[in-house]
Amino acid sequence: MVVIILSVTFYNQFSEVLQERIIQQLNSIKTLKQNQIDKLIQSEWQNFNSSSNSKTLGDSINFKLPNKVLKAGIYDFTAYNTTHELTIGMVNVKNDTQNIKFIPYHKIKNILLERTGMGETGESYIVGEDFRMRSQSRFFKDSLPHDIIVKTIGVANALEGKYGKGLYKDYRNVDVYGVYGLIEISELKLAILSEIDKDEVEAPLTSLKRRLFALIFLIMGVAIFLSLFLTRIIANPVLNMKNSLKIMADGNYTHTDTFAKNSYEIIEMFNALDSLKKSLKGAVDFSKDIGNMNLNTNYSLKSKNDALGKSLIKMRDKLKEFRNNENISRINAKRLLVEGLENERQRLSRELHDGLGPLLTTLKFFIDNKVEDTSLRFEMRKMVDDTISEIRIMSNALMPSTIYDFGVGAALANYIADVKKAWGISIKFENLLKQHNSKITKNQEIHIFRISQELINNTLKYAEANTIRISLSEFDDFISLFYFDDGKGFNMDTAKTGSGIINIKERVEICNGKIKINSKPGSTTFDIEFSIKNENN
């Protein structure tokens, strides 16, 4: 691969250099010939203006020039030459007489046919504005230049005043390297080009390519021979090491087979392999102890770079920390559970004492005094009704029966009606649960009721709110409980440790749900979602 890459790189660089050299050489030839032609025309023009020897228009029988007055200057009269030979004419006016003189074609031809440095296929030629050849083609010697149409990229660009170079097709439709420019003197405008065939230029590249291929095959043959020879020395120990590593990969670090070691380097490799076996065996034993939760076991690092050992020790320390945190969490959970039970008992005791106690005591007083007055009897009946109502409220607060008969939506509606009646606060409840084919389980309904109950109690006790909005919605995959109050809000950091928030989060976690809490003065929201499809997992 290295030889191939180097060969391709060398070939490309050589090709670029060769092409650049050819273009530079062609550009020098084109510039030289253009300068020679410019110099020739300028010299002839000066001699013409200083001499009285000239021909008037139409003096030559080879020309059929139009009978018109031309201004002084240099013109391309090839189109008016009946032989269509390159004819560059010079026109001036002396003593009201229009004179013309022609530059001998052989002088320009000699300049263009000088082919020094042009190789076998190179040539320089000029083309007129009518895209017809003006100089003799070295490839079509029997054809008149005027009969050869040259509409190539080089000619088109040159006639537009552009000077350029590159690889393009010439008038023979052959790929050539060429440079082009414009001869523009007075009224004369001719494209001049110097070109050489691509095949001739790239002939050395073809030869180089064959040599590089031969070199590549030679080196590959030598490399294969050396590989086969060295395999006898290296392959067997390496295969033995491969077998040993395969055994280690299967988890057996106690394998002790010995293998042939025929060089110092191979011996060092096997010694390193033995050290690796011992190190991995120690790490495996330490991992087993950690897996058995024997976290008091110790492990000695093999070196300061023993990353596996460091990771295992870190894992052991993390497991210790996790176990301690788990114990603390378990104790806190038990404590919260006990505190919750005690608080519920205290609340129930207080409501029985403050709610039912006075009613029953007064009722007992009336009964003991054998009340016969009708108004007092009506009051006794009212007390009995109030007692029954109070018991119903307490019963609904503990576990409403409607949750089993009509679902959590009806249970929440009844509970909210009792709260509104007792506290006088504005509570808007929106029940968007499916009336038919609902997928909510009773377990989820109980948790939704308890969470809503906890949220309402927190608002009544601490928020000083005027309005509560609750929305309970059921979708195909999840249940959404949205709660809002316009109270004074609470601090999110301190609220995370409160038993009420903890109870809500634990119930959400039990149902595999998600909760988002946002609180600020005037707006506190709880956005809770329970996944229906994962509830039983």
Side-chain angles (χ1 to χ4, degrees):
M1 289 302 298
V2 171
V3 172
I4 292 174
I5 292 173
L6 291 176
S7 299
V8 172
T9 303
F10 174 75
Y11 176 81
N12 290 336
Q13 290 181 347
F14 182 75
S15 176
E16 292 175 0
V17 171
L18 181 62
Q19 293 172 9
E20 183 178 352
R21 294 289 185 184
I22 291 296
I23 293 295
Q24 288 179 352
Q25 182 175 344
L26 289 174
N27 189 56
S28 299
I29 294 172
K30 189 271 297 181
T31 303
L32 175 61
K33 293 183 183 298
Q34 183 175 355
N35 290 337
Q36 289 176 337
I37 294 174
D38 286 344
K39 185 176 180 181
L40 172 63
I41 295 173
Q42 294 291 353
S43 176
E44 292 287 338
W45 174 251
Q46 290 177 3
N47 293 334
F48 173 61
N49 287 326
S50 62
S51 174
S52 60
N53 295 325
S54 62
K55 295 180 180 179
T56 60
L57 290 174
D59 282 350
S60 175
I61 61 172
N62 294 327
F63 289 85
K64 294 182 179 179
L65 295 174
N67 188 16
K68 63 179 181 179
V69 178
L70 300 175
K71 66 178 182 179
I74 303 171
Y75 294 86
D76 179 10
F77 289 142
T78 305
Y80 301 105
N81 189 335
T82 57
T83 63
H84 294 304
E85 186 180 78
L86 174 62
T87 306
I88 297 177
M90 299 174 289
V91 178
N92 69 4
V93 179
K94 291 183 179 180
N95 301 322
D96 297 329
T97 302
Q98 187 170 256
N99 299 317
I100 181 171
K101 182 179 179 180
F102 304 106
I103 298 175
Y105 170 61
H106 70 273
K107 293 184 179 181
I108 297 176
K109 182 179 180 180
N110 291 337
I111 295 174
L112 293 174
L113 291 182
E114 172 58 39
R115 299 183 57 256
T116 303
M118 298 292 287
E120 296 293 331
T121 60
E123 70 170 336
S124 297
Y125 58 91
I126 54 179
V127 181
E129 291 184 86
D130 56 357
F131 291 97
R132 291 182 180 273
M133 186 86 81
R134 292 292 188 267
S135 59
Q136 183 64 48
S137 168
R138 66 182 301 268
F139 297 104
F140 302 111
K141 296 180 181 179
D142 297 332
S143 300
L144 290 175
H146 191 267
D147 295 337
I148 302 174
I149 304 298
V150 188
K151 283 192 175 181
T152 64
I153 295 176
V155 172
N157 290 340
L159 292 175
E160 291 177 1
K162 299 177 182 177
Y163 289 79
K165 57 190 177 181
L167 176 65
Y168 52 86
K169 291 187 181 295
D170 69 352
Y171 60 91
R172 300 169 296 151
N173 201 29
V174 174
D175 289 329
V176 295
Y177 287 97
V179 295
Y180 46 84
L182 181 66
I183 298 175
E184 191 171 17
I185 304 173
S186 184
E187 305 300 322
L188 182 66
K189 189 174 182 182
L190 297 172
I192 181 170
L193 301 95
S194 294
E195 298 170 346
I196 187 170
D197 286 4
K198 176 185 175 186
D199 291 340
E200 182 179 357
V201 173
E202 296 185 354
L205 292 176
T206 305
S207 176
L208 176 64
K209 187 185 298 183
R210 288 196 297 267
R211 293 181 183 180
L212 287 176
F213 274 119
L215 179 63
I216 290 172
F217 286 123
L218 177 62
I219 293 177
M220 288 177 63
V222 173
I224 292 173
F225 174 78
L226 290 177
S227 299
L228 294 174
F229 176 74
L230 294 176
T231 298
R232 295 179 178 272
I233 300 175
I234 300 175
N236 290 336
V238 171
L239 288 174
N240 292 337
M241 181 168 289
K242 183 197 75 172
N243 294 332
S244 182
L245 289 172
K246 186 176 180 181
I247 293 171
M248 291 174 59
D250 293 334
N252 184 359
Y253 304 111
T254 60
H255 191 71
T256 57
D257 285 357
T258 58
F259 303 105
K261 306 169 187 177
N262 50 14
S263 69
Y264 176 78
E265 289 79 8
I266 296 296
I267 293 174
E268 289 294 320
M269 290 171 61
F270 274 98
N271 290 338
L273 183 62
D274 291 337
S275 298
L276 177 61
K277 284 183 180 179
K278 294 177 182 178
S279 177
L280 290 175
K281 187 176 182 302
V284 168
D285 293 338
F286 184 54
S287 300
K288 289 180 179 178
D289 290 336
I290 294 177
N292 295 327
M293 296 306 290
N294 183 13
L295 303 182
N296 294 322
T297 185
N298 293 318
Y299 178 79
S300 299
L301 297 176
K302 303 304 178 185
S303 68
K304 63 180 181 179
N305 297 322
D306 188 358
L308 177 60
K310 291 179 180 178
S311 299
L312 291 174
I313 292 174
K314 187 175 181 180
M315 183 190 299
R316 180 198 61 189
D317 295 339
K318 287 291 183 181
L319 286 173
K320 283 184 178 180
E321 182 181 352
F322 177 77
R323 175 185 281 179
N324 293 335
N325 291 337
E326 185 182 24
N327 291 333
I328 294 173
S329 298
R330 187 183 298 110
I331 293 172
N332 287 337
K334 291 180 179 179
R335 177 177 57 80
L336 291 174
L337 178 61
V338 171
E339 288 179 356
L341 291 174
E342 291 300 324
N343 291 336
E344 189 65 22
R345 289 171 179 170
Q346 290 178 8
R347 186 182 67 81
L348 183 59
S349 174
R350 184 168 57 254
E351 291 182 358
L352 288 172
H353 181 272
D354 297 338
L356 295 179
L359 293 173
L360 294 175
T361 301
T362 304
L363 185 61
K364 180 178 180 296
F365 172 78
F366 286 145
I367 292 173
D368 288 340
N369 288 276
K370 298 179 180 180
V371 176
E372 295 181 357
D373 186 89
T374 302
S375 61
L376 291 179
R377 286 181 178 275
F378 177 78
E379 187 176 351
M380 289 173 61
R381 188 180 298 109
K382 183 177 180 303
M383 288 182 182
V384 172
D385 292 338
D386 291 342
T387 302
I388 294 172
S389 177
E390 188 73 19
I391 292 174
R392 183 180 296 110
I393 292 174
M394 294 174 59
S395 174
N396 285 332
L398 292 174
M399 181 57 70
S401 59
T402 53
I403 202 170
Y404 291 98
D405 298 331
F406 303 103
V408 66
L412 272 177
N414 291 340
Y415 176 73
I416 289 171
D418 293 337
V419 172
K420 290 169 65 175
K421 181 179 179 182
W423 289 80
I425 189 172
S426 174
I427 303 179
K428 299 178 182 179
F429 174 58
E430 188 176 15
N431 181 13
L432 299 177
L433 296 177
K434 294 181 180 179
Q435 300 301 319
H436 304 285
N437 300 323
S438 177
K439 297 181 180 179
I440 304 178
T441 64
K442 289 301 177 185
N443 184 38
Q444 287 178 323
E445 289 186 322
I446 292 173
H447 285 297
I448 291 172
F449 182 81
R450 292 303 183 199
I451 291 172
S452 302
Q453 192 178 37
E454 185 73 41
L455 291 172
I456 293 172
N457 288 337
N458 286 343
T459 298
L460 296 176
K461 290 180 181 179
Y462 310 113
E464 301 177 5
N466 297 318
T467 303
I468 297 174
R469 292 202 308 269
I470 303 174
S471 176
L472 182 61
S473 307
E474 180 180 358
F475 300 92
D476 291 338
D477 298 329
F478 65 94
I479 309 160
S480 173
L481 174 62
F482 179 79
Y483 183 90
F484 164 85
D485 71 48
D486 60 354
K488 63 182 181 181
F490 56 86
N491 188 304
M492 294 290 294
D493 295 329
T494 58
K496 291 179 181 178
T497 59
S499 60
I501 300 295
I502 290 176
N503 289 337
I504 292 172
K505 289 184 175 180
E506 286 183 349
R507 289 185 182 276
V508 172
E509 185 178 359
I510 289 173
C511 293
N512 294 321
K514 296 182 292 184
I515 182 171
K516 293 181 181 179
I517 306 173
N518 290 295
S519 182
K520 61 182 179 180
S523 175
T524 297
T525 61
F526 287 78
D527 194 358
I528 302 171
E529 290 184 3
F530 291 158
S531 177
I532 294 177
K533 61 183 179 180
N534 291 326
E535 192 275 337
N536 294 322
N537 294 337

